[in-house]
Amino acid sequence: QVRFVESGGGLVQPGGSLRLSCEVSSMIFSNLHMGWYRQAPGKQRELVARITRGGSTNYADSVKGRFTISRDNAKNTMYLQMNSLKLEDTAVYYCNNFPSFDYWGQGTQVTVSS
């Protein structure tokens, strides 16, 4: 079973930045299409950004121009650079295959607050 370990979350003021990391315990990471997802309190989990095994990217409209997804296949790691953070970006962020498997890591909390 592929394991996902997210890190890098924290408390940040509006307009600030954070960089999330996702370590994937799989020798086939380079063959996976991957995604960053988030779940805000009281809301369903949503796809924020995705990256194909070839490096093509796609973003939700709500984060386009502010977030950048990337991957380092040599390190089995995916990243999410988040800039110009807004209050509504507050959520637990998860990484997973795209489309997602039916199990999840622990996620990393991102809180945007003044």
Side-chain angles (χ1 to χ4, degrees):
Q1 188 178 48
V2 179
R3 184 165 170 254
F4 307 104
V5 180
E6 303 91 346
S7 63
L11 174 64
V12 63
Q13 292 186 339
S17 297
L18 283 173
R19 189 193 194 205
L20 306 184
S21 297
C22 167
E23 293 185 45
V24 181
S25 65
S26 172
M27 297 296 290
I28 63 168
F29 173 73
S30 61
N31 289 332
L32 300 178
H33 302 311
M34 293 291 299
W36 280 102
Y37 304 76
R38 69 184 180 188
Q39 186 167 22
K43 295 188 176 181
Q44 288 190 332
R45 187 151 30 204
E46 62 174 348
L47 177 68
V48 173
R50 56 188 171 99
I51 184 166
T52 68
R53 57 191 177 198
S56 297
T57 60
N58 188 269
Y59 300 90
D61 288 343
S62 59
V63 307
K64 202 171 293 183
R66 300 188 297 121
F67 290 10
T68 302
I69 189 172
S70 62
R71 64 191 300 161
D72 185 338
N73 289 338
K75 296 182 178 179
N76 280 11
T77 302
M78 179 176 67
Y79 304 98
L80 186 68
Q81 178 66 44
M82 306 187 296
N83 299 328
S84 303
L85 282 162
K86 303 177 179 181
L87 297 175
E88 53 265 39
D89 293 320
T90 295
V92 179
Y93 284 71
Y94 303 87
C95 60
N96 206 312
N97 189 62
F98 178 81
S100 64
F101 296 141
D102 60 1
Y103 59 89
W104 298 84
Q106 83 287 352
T108 186
Q109 175 71 49
V110 172
T111 302
V112 184
S113 175
S114 56

